[in-house]
Amino acid sequence: SIHSRFTGDPSEEISTNALLGELRCLSVQKNFGPLEAKARSLIDKAEKALKGARLPDRLVMGAYNARGDVYFSKNQFKEALLDYLRGPVELNRSGNPSLEHEMALAKISLTCGRISAESKDPTEKQEYRGRAMGWLEELKRVYPASPWVKKVGDELSAIR
């Protein structure tokens, strides 16, 4: 992809945007093998970087979102949920808006909805439905013009 030409750019902002672009493209293309490899590589670097120079939080959030997409594609919804939660809970405590943060909020809500839909336990079904609605409200609050609001709302409305 065009992004790969810029992933090694000396500018952190340019290389971060290029890597995030690669992750987004692979996810949209549902090219989960390379997506998983790239996400794992970035997450490993981020975990090693805790002892030294850090990777940009936005990049790490994108990597967790990407790995969450891989888990989601395998119907491993609780594993996906844990990865999607890493961004808003751990990495974006400042509340700085970003596409990665917006996507994480939407995917958390969608994943909670999917867990609710698949659960046979009425208590768990209700609990995850409530969580899905709560994260949708957070998405609306932080990103009121997000195109994800309608998509997530429509999907949650279809859950019984």
Side-chain angles (χ1 to χ4, degrees), residues 26-77:
L26 290 169
S27 183
V28 168
Q29 294 168 346
K30 300 188 183 316
N31 196 348
F32 294 117
L35 178 64
E36 183 173 23
K38 186 159 289 290
R40 283 190 192 281
S41 171
L42 289 168
I43 291 167
D44 288 347
K45 284 181 187 172
E47 289 172 356
K48 289 177 185 162
L50 290 177
K51 299 174 182 83
R54 292 177 47 110
L55 292 176
D57 285 347
R58 207 166 55 97
L59 178 57
V60 179
M61 193 180 328
Y64 277 113
N65 285 349
R67 191 171 72 177
D69 292 347
V70 172
Y71 285 134
F72 194 94
S73 76
K74 296 176 181 179
N75 296 328
Q76 296 174 330
F77 301 120

Short mmCIF file of all heavy atoms in Angstrom, two decimals, residues 26-77:
data_model
loop_
_atom_site.label_atom_id
_atom_site.label_comp_id
_atom_site.label_asym_id
_atom_site.label_seq_id
_atom_site.Cartn_x
_atom_site.Cartn_y
_atom_site.Cartn_z
N LEU A 26 -5.88 -2.79 6.06
CA LEU A 26 -5.93 -4.24 6.23
C LEU A 26 -7.23 -4.68 6.90
O LEU A 26 -7.81 -5.71 6.54
CB LEU A 26 -4.73 -4.72 7.05
CG LEU A 26 -3.37 -4.63 6.36
CD1 LEU A 26 -2.23 -4.86 7.35
CD2 LEU A 26 -3.28 -5.61 5.20
N SER A 27 -7.71 -3.89 7.86
CA SER A 27 -8.96 -4.22 8.56
C SER A 27 -10.15 -4.12 7.60
O SER A 27 -10.98 -5.02 7.54
CB SER A 27 -9.15 -3.30 9.76
OG SER A 27 -10.31 -3.66 10.46
N VAL A 28 -10.23 -3.03 6.85
CA VAL A 28 -11.34 -2.83 5.91
C VAL A 28 -11.33 -3.93 4.83
O VAL A 28 -12.37 -4.42 4.42
CB VAL A 28 -11.28 -1.43 5.27
CG1 VAL A 28 -12.21 -1.30 4.09
CG2 VAL A 28 -11.59 -0.37 6.31
N GLN A 29 -10.14 -4.33 4.41
CA GLN A 29 -10.00 -5.38 3.40
C GLN A 29 -10.23 -6.77 3.99
O GLN A 29 -10.24 -7.75 3.25
CB GLN A 29 -8.61 -5.33 2.77
CG GLN A 29 -8.34 -4.09 1.98
CD GLN A 29 -6.86 -3.94 1.62
OE1 GLN A 29 -5.99 -4.62 2.15
NE2 GLN A 29 -6.59 -3.02 0.70
N LYS A 30 -10.39 -6.84 5.31
CA LYS A 30 -10.54 -8.11 6.02
C LYS A 30 -9.37 -9.05 5.72
O LYS A 30 -9.52 -10.26 5.61
CB LYS A 30 -11.88 -8.77 5.68
CG LYS A 30 -13.07 -7.91 6.07
CD LYS A 30 -14.37 -8.61 5.92
CE LYS A 30 -15.57 -7.75 6.24
NZ LYS A 30 -15.56 -6.92 7.38
N ASN A 31 -8.19 -8.45 5.64
CA ASN A 31 -6.95 -9.18 5.41
C ASN A 31 -6.33 -9.47 6.78
O ASN A 31 -5.35 -8.85 7.19
CB ASN A 31 -6.01 -8.34 4.53
CG ASN A 31 -4.90 -9.13 3.94
OD1 ASN A 31 -4.66 -10.26 4.33
ND2 ASN A 31 -4.20 -8.54 2.98
N PHE A 32 -6.95 -10.42 7.50
CA PHE A 32 -6.69 -10.60 8.91
C PHE A 32 -5.33 -11.21 9.24
O PHE A 32 -4.80 -10.97 10.31
CB PHE A 32 -7.81 -11.39 9.57
CG PHE A 32 -9.12 -10.64 9.57
CD1 PHE A 32 -10.22 -11.13 8.88
CD2 PHE A 32 -9.24 -9.44 10.24
CE1 PHE A 32 -11.41 -10.43 8.86
CE2 PHE A 32 -10.43 -8.72 10.23
CZ PHE A 32 -11.52 -9.23 9.54
N GLY A 33 -4.74 -11.99 8.35
CA GLY A 33 -3.41 -12.55 8.62
C GLY A 33 -2.37 -11.47 8.78
O GLY A 33 -1.73 -11.34 9.84
N PRO A 34 -2.17 -10.63 7.74
CA PRO A 34 -1.21 -9.53 7.88
C PRO A 34 -1.61 -8.52 8.94
O PRO A 34 -0.76 -7.95 9.61
CB PRO A 34 -1.19 -8.89 6.49
CG PRO A 34 -1.64 -9.97 5.57
CD PRO A 34 -2.62 -10.79 6.36
N LEU A 35 -2.92 -8.31 9.12
CA LEU A 35 -3.39 -7.37 10.15
C LEU A 35 -2.96 -7.86 11.53
O LEU A 35 -2.43 -7.09 12.33
CB LEU A 35 -4.90 -7.23 10.08
CG LEU A 35 -5.53 -6.31 11.14
CD1 LEU A 35 -5.06 -4.87 10.95
CD2 LEU A 35 -7.05 -6.39 11.07
N GLU A 36 -3.17 -9.14 11.78
CA GLU A 36 -2.80 -9.70 13.09
C GLU A 36 -1.29 -9.60 13.31
O GLU A 36 -0.84 -9.21 14.39
CB GLU A 36 -3.26 -11.15 13.20
CG GLU A 36 -2.97 -11.75 14.56
CD GLU A 36 -3.59 -13.14 14.71
OE1 GLU A 36 -3.85 -13.81 13.69
OE2 GLU A 36 -3.78 -13.54 15.87
N ALA A 37 -0.51 -9.91 12.29
CA ALA A 37 0.96 -9.87 12.41
C ALA A 37 1.43 -8.44 12.70
O ALA A 37 2.27 -8.22 13.59
CB ALA A 37 1.62 -10.40 11.15
N LYS A 38 0.90 -7.47 11.98
CA LYS A 38 1.32 -6.08 12.18
C LYS A 38 0.87 -5.57 13.55
O LYS A 38 1.63 -4.90 14.26
CB LYS A 38 0.77 -5.19 11.07
CG LYS A 38 1.29 -3.77 11.15
CD LYS A 38 1.19 -3.02 9.86
CE LYS A 38 2.11 -3.45 8.80
NZ LYS A 38 3.52 -3.18 8.96
N ALA A 39 -0.35 -5.91 13.95
CA ALA A 39 -0.86 -5.47 15.25
C ALA A 39 -0.02 -6.08 16.38
O ALA A 39 0.38 -5.38 17.31
CB ALA A 39 -2.33 -5.86 15.41
N ARG A 40 0.24 -7.38 16.29
CA ARG A 40 1.05 -8.04 17.33
C ARG A 40 2.45 -7.43 17.41
O ARG A 40 2.98 -7.22 18.50
CB ARG A 40 1.16 -9.54 17.06
CG ARG A 40 -0.07 -10.29 17.42
CD ARG A 40 0.16 -11.80 17.38
NE ARG A 40 -1.10 -12.52 17.46
CZ ARG A 40 -1.77 -12.73 18.57
NH1 ARG A 40 -1.32 -12.26 19.71
NH2 ARG A 40 -2.90 -13.40 18.56
N SER A 41 3.04 -7.14 16.26
CA SER A 41 4.37 -6.53 16.23
C SER A 41 4.37 -5.18 16.95
O SER A 41 5.25 -4.88 17.76
CB SER A 41 4.83 -6.38 14.79
OG SER A 41 6.01 -5.62 14.72
N LEU A 42 3.37 -4.36 16.66
CA LEU A 42 3.28 -3.04 17.30
C LEU A 42 3.00 -3.16 18.79
O LEU A 42 3.57 -2.42 19.59
CB LEU A 42 2.21 -2.19 16.61
CG LEU A 42 2.57 -1.71 15.22
CD1 LEU A 42 1.35 -1.13 14.51
CD2 LEU A 42 3.69 -0.68 15.28
N ILE A 43 2.13 -4.08 19.18
CA ILE A 43 1.83 -4.27 20.60
C ILE A 43 3.07 -4.76 21.34
O ILE A 43 3.38 -4.29 22.44
CB ILE A 43 0.62 -5.22 20.78
CG1 ILE A 43 -0.65 -4.51 20.28
CG2 ILE A 43 0.48 -5.67 22.22
CD1 ILE A 43 -1.85 -5.42 20.11
N ASP A 44 3.81 -5.69 20.73
CA ASP A 44 5.06 -6.16 21.34
C ASP A 44 6.04 -5.01 21.52
O ASP A 44 6.67 -4.87 22.57
CB ASP A 44 5.72 -7.26 20.49
CG ASP A 44 4.97 -8.58 20.56
OD1 ASP A 44 4.10 -8.74 21.44
OD2 ASP A 44 5.26 -9.46 19.71
N LYS A 45 6.18 -4.17 20.50
CA LYS A 45 7.07 -3.00 20.59
C LYS A 45 6.61 -2.06 21.70
O LYS A 45 7.42 -1.52 22.44
CB LYS A 45 7.13 -2.24 19.27
CG LYS A 45 7.96 -2.90 18.21
CD LYS A 45 7.97 -2.06 16.94
CE LYS A 45 8.67 -2.80 15.82
NZ LYS A 45 8.54 -2.11 14.53
N ALA A 46 5.30 -1.88 21.80
CA ALA A 46 4.76 -0.98 22.83
C ALA A 46 5.04 -1.52 24.22
O ALA A 46 5.40 -0.76 25.13
CB ALA A 46 3.26 -0.80 22.63
N GLU A 47 4.88 -2.83 24.39
CA GLU A 47 5.14 -3.42 25.71
C GLU A 47 6.61 -3.34 26.06
O GLU A 47 6.96 -3.08 27.21
CB GLU A 47 4.61 -4.86 25.74
CG GLU A 47 3.09 -4.89 25.75
CD GLU A 47 2.49 -6.27 25.58
OE1 GLU A 47 3.25 -7.24 25.35
OE2 GLU A 47 1.26 -6.36 25.66
N LYS A 48 7.49 -3.54 25.10
CA LYS A 48 8.93 -3.41 25.35
C LYS A 48 9.30 -1.95 25.59
O LYS A 48 10.20 -1.65 26.37
CB LYS A 48 9.73 -3.96 24.17
CG LYS A 48 9.66 -5.46 24.07
CD LYS A 48 10.40 -5.97 22.85
CE LYS A 48 10.20 -7.47 22.72
NZ LYS A 48 10.51 -7.94 21.39
N ALA A 49 8.59 -1.04 24.94
CA ALA A 49 8.90 0.38 25.04
C ALA A 49 8.53 0.95 26.40
O ALA A 49 8.96 2.05 26.75
CB ALA A 49 8.19 1.16 23.94
N LEU A 50 7.74 0.23 27.18
CA LEU A 50 7.39 0.73 28.51
C LEU A 50 8.63 0.95 29.36
O LEU A 50 8.64 1.75 30.27
CB LEU A 50 6.43 -0.24 29.21
CG LEU A 50 5.03 -0.31 28.62
CD1 LEU A 50 4.20 -1.37 29.34
CD2 LEU A 50 4.33 1.04 28.70
N LYS A 51 9.69 0.23 29.03
CA LYS A 51 10.94 0.37 29.78
C LYS A 51 11.82 1.48 29.21
O LYS A 51 12.82 1.84 29.79
CB LYS A 51 11.70 -0.96 29.75
CG LYS A 51 10.93 -2.09 30.39
CD LYS A 51 11.67 -3.41 30.20
CE LYS A 51 10.90 -4.55 30.78
NZ LYS A 51 9.89 -5.07 29.88
N GLY A 52 11.48 1.99 28.04
CA GLY A 52 12.32 3.00 27.39
C GLY A 52 11.45 4.01 26.66
O GLY A 52 10.44 4.45 27.18
N ALA A 53 11.85 4.33 25.45
CA ALA A 53 11.10 5.29 24.64
C ALA A 53 9.74 4.69 24.28
O ALA A 53 9.66 3.55 23.86
CB ALA A 53 11.88 5.63 23.38
N ARG A 54 8.71 5.47 24.45
CA ARG A 54 7.34 4.99 24.19
C ARG A 54 6.93 5.20 22.75
O ARG A 54 7.36 6.15 22.11
CB ARG A 54 6.37 5.75 25.09
CG ARG A 54 6.51 5.43 26.55
CD ARG A 54 5.57 6.27 27.36
NE ARG A 54 4.24 6.27 26.81
CZ ARG A 54 3.19 5.67 27.35
NH1 ARG A 54 3.33 5.03 28.48
NH2 ARG A 54 1.99 5.74 26.80
N LEU A 55 6.04 4.34 22.29
CA LEU A 55 5.37 4.55 21.01
C LEU A 55 4.22 5.52 21.24
O LEU A 55 3.67 5.57 22.35
CB LEU A 55 4.83 3.24 20.46
CG LEU A 55 5.84 2.18 20.03
CD1 LEU A 55 5.12 0.91 19.60
CD2 LEU A 55 6.71 2.69 18.90
N PRO A 56 3.81 6.24 20.23
CA PRO A 56 2.66 7.15 20.41
C PRO A 56 1.40 6.36 20.82
O PRO A 56 1.11 5.31 20.25
CB PRO A 56 2.48 7.77 19.02
CG PRO A 56 3.80 7.60 18.34
CD PRO A 56 4.39 6.34 18.89
N ASP A 57 0.68 6.87 21.80
CA ASP A 57 -0.52 6.20 22.30
C ASP A 57 -1.52 5.92 21.18
O ASP A 57 -2.16 4.87 21.16
CB ASP A 57 -1.20 7.02 23.40
CG ASP A 57 -0.45 6.97 24.72
OD1 ASP A 57 0.45 6.11 24.87
OD2 ASP A 57 -0.78 7.77 25.61
N ARG A 58 -1.65 6.86 20.26
CA ARG A 58 -2.59 6.70 19.15
C ARG A 58 -2.23 5.48 18.30
O ARG A 58 -3.11 4.74 17.86
CB ARG A 58 -2.57 7.97 18.30
CG ARG A 58 -3.82 8.27 17.56
CD ARG A 58 -3.81 9.71 17.05
NE ARG A 58 -2.65 10.02 16.24
CZ ARG A 58 -2.65 9.99 14.91
NH1 ARG A 58 -3.73 9.68 14.25
NH2 ARG A 58 -1.56 10.29 14.25
N LEU A 59 -0.95 5.25 18.10
CA LEU A 59 -0.48 4.11 17.32
C LEU A 59 -0.76 2.81 18.07
O LEU A 59 -1.25 1.83 17.50
CB LEU A 59 1.00 4.23 17.00
CG LEU A 59 1.64 3.09 16.23
CD1 LEU A 59 0.93 2.86 14.90
CD2 LEU A 59 3.12 3.39 15.99
N VAL A 60 -0.50 2.80 19.36
CA VAL A 60 -0.75 1.60 20.17
C VAL A 60 -2.25 1.31 20.21
O VAL A 60 -2.68 0.16 20.09
CB VAL A 60 -0.16 1.75 21.59
CG1 VAL A 60 -0.44 0.51 22.43
CG2 VAL A 60 1.34 2.01 21.51
N MET A 61 -3.06 2.36 20.33
CA MET A 61 -4.51 2.19 20.32
C MET A 61 -4.96 1.58 18.99
O MET A 61 -5.80 0.67 18.97
CB MET A 61 -5.21 3.53 20.56
CG MET A 61 -6.67 3.38 20.87
SD MET A 61 -7.57 4.94 21.15
CE MET A 61 -6.38 6.02 21.87
N GLY A 62 -4.39 2.06 17.90
CA GLY A 62 -4.72 1.50 16.60
C GLY A 62 -4.34 0.04 16.49
O GLY A 62 -5.07 -0.77 15.89
N ALA A 63 -3.22 -0.33 17.08
CA ALA A 63 -2.78 -1.74 17.06
C ALA A 63 -3.75 -2.61 17.87
O ALA A 63 -4.11 -3.71 17.44
CB ALA A 63 -1.36 -1.86 17.60
N TYR A 64 -4.17 -2.12 19.03
CA TYR A 64 -5.14 -2.90 19.82
C TYR A 64 -6.49 -2.99 19.10
O TYR A 64 -7.14 -4.04 19.11
CB TYR A 64 -5.32 -2.30 21.22
CG TYR A 64 -4.25 -2.74 22.18
CD1 TYR A 64 -3.32 -1.85 22.68
CD2 TYR A 64 -4.17 -4.07 22.60
CE1 TYR A 64 -2.33 -2.25 23.56
CE2 TYR A 64 -3.17 -4.49 23.48
CZ TYR A 64 -2.26 -3.58 23.95
OH TYR A 64 -1.28 -4.00 24.82
N ASN A 65 -6.92 -1.91 18.46
CA ASN A 65 -8.15 -1.96 17.66
C ASN A 65 -8.02 -3.01 16.56
O ASN A 65 -8.95 -3.77 16.30
CB ASN A 65 -8.47 -0.60 17.04
CG ASN A 65 -9.02 0.40 18.02
OD1 ASN A 65 -9.37 0.08 19.14
ND2 ASN A 65 -9.07 1.66 17.59
N ALA A 66 -6.85 -3.03 15.90
CA ALA A 66 -6.63 -3.98 14.81
C ALA A 66 -6.68 -5.42 15.33
O ALA A 66 -7.31 -6.29 14.73
CB ALA A 66 -5.29 -3.70 14.13
N ARG A 67 -6.00 -5.67 16.46
CA ARG A 67 -6.03 -7.03 17.00
C ARG A 67 -7.44 -7.39 17.46
O ARG A 67 -7.89 -8.52 17.30
CB ARG A 67 -5.03 -7.19 18.13
CG ARG A 67 -4.85 -8.67 18.51
CD ARG A 67 -3.73 -8.90 19.46
NE ARG A 67 -4.06 -8.39 20.78
CZ ARG A 67 -3.26 -8.51 21.83
NH1 ARG A 67 -2.06 -9.08 21.70
NH2 ARG A 67 -3.62 -8.03 23.01
N GLY A 68 -8.17 -6.40 17.97
CA GLY A 68 -9.57 -6.63 18.32
C GLY A 68 -10.39 -7.02 17.10
O GLY A 68 -11.25 -7.90 17.18
N ASP A 69 -10.11 -6.39 15.96
CA ASP A 69 -10.81 -6.75 14.72
C ASP A 69 -10.54 -8.20 14.33
O ASP A 69 -11.43 -8.91 13.85
CB ASP A 69 -10.38 -5.84 13.57
CG ASP A 69 -10.84 -4.40 13.74
OD1 ASP A 69 -11.69 -4.13 14.61
OD2 ASP A 69 -10.34 -3.55 12.98
N VAL A 70 -9.30 -8.64 14.55
CA VAL A 70 -8.95 -10.03 14.25
C VAL A 70 -9.75 -10.97 15.15
O VAL A 70 -10.37 -11.93 14.68
CB VAL A 70 -7.43 -10.28 14.41
CG1 VAL A 70 -7.10 -11.76 14.28
CG2 VAL A 70 -6.64 -9.47 13.37
N TYR A 71 -9.78 -10.69 16.46
CA TYR A 71 -10.55 -11.52 17.38
C TYR A 71 -12.04 -11.50 17.01
O TYR A 71 -12.71 -12.53 17.02
CB TYR A 71 -10.39 -11.05 18.83
CG TYR A 71 -9.08 -11.41 19.47
CD1 TYR A 71 -8.37 -10.45 20.20
CD2 TYR A 71 -8.55 -12.69 19.38
CE1 TYR A 71 -7.16 -10.77 20.81
CE2 TYR A 71 -7.34 -13.02 19.99
CZ TYR A 71 -6.66 -12.05 20.70
OH TYR A 71 -5.47 -12.37 21.31
N PHE A 72 -12.55 -10.31 16.68
CA PHE A 72 -13.96 -10.18 16.32
C PHE A 72 -14.28 -11.05 15.10
O PHE A 72 -15.31 -11.71 15.06
CB PHE A 72 -14.29 -8.70 16.04
CG PHE A 72 -15.76 -8.41 15.98
CD1 PHE A 72 -16.43 -7.96 17.11
CD2 PHE A 72 -16.48 -8.55 14.80
CE1 PHE A 72 -17.79 -7.68 17.07
CE2 PHE A 72 -17.83 -8.28 14.75
CZ PHE A 72 -18.50 -7.84 15.89
N SER A 73 -13.37 -11.05 14.12
CA SER A 73 -13.59 -11.84 12.90
C SER A 73 -13.63 -13.34 13.19
O SER A 73 -14.19 -14.11 12.43
CB SER A 73 -12.51 -11.54 11.86
OG SER A 73 -11.29 -12.19 12.19
N LYS A 74 -13.03 -13.74 14.30
CA LYS A 74 -13.02 -15.16 14.71
C LYS A 74 -14.13 -15.46 15.73
O LYS A 74 -14.13 -16.51 16.35
CB LYS A 74 -11.66 -15.50 15.34
CG LYS A 74 -10.49 -15.38 14.38
CD LYS A 74 -9.18 -15.65 15.12
CE LYS A 74 -7.99 -15.53 14.20
NZ LYS A 74 -6.72 -15.76 14.92
N ASN A 75 -15.04 -14.50 15.91
CA ASN A 75 -16.13 -14.62 16.89
C ASN A 75 -15.63 -14.78 18.32
O ASN A 75 -16.32 -15.34 19.17
CB ASN A 75 -17.09 -15.77 16.53
CG ASN A 75 -17.81 -15.51 15.23
OD1 ASN A 75 -18.10 -14.36 14.89
ND2 ASN A 75 -18.10 -16.56 14.50
N GLN A 76 -14.45 -14.26 18.60
CA GLN A 76 -13.89 -14.25 19.95
C GLN A 76 -14.18 -12.87 20.55
O GLN A 76 -13.30 -12.02 20.69
CB GLN A 76 -12.39 -14.55 19.92
CG GLN A 76 -12.09 -15.95 19.41
CD GLN A 76 -10.60 -16.19 19.23
OE1 GLN A 76 -9.83 -15.28 18.95
NE2 GLN A 76 -10.20 -17.45 19.38
N PHE A 77 -15.45 -12.66 20.87
CA PHE A 77 -15.92 -11.32 21.20
C PHE A 77 -15.37 -10.78 22.51
O PHE A 77 -15.08 -9.58 22.61
CB PHE A 77 -17.45 -11.28 21.18
CG PHE A 77 -18.02 -11.67 19.85
CD1 PHE A 77 -18.87 -12.74 19.73
CD2 PHE A 77 -17.68 -10.97 18.70
CE1 PHE A 77 -19.39 -13.11 18.49
CE2 PHE A 77 -18.18 -11.32 17.46
CZ PHE A 77 -19.04 -12.40 17.36
#
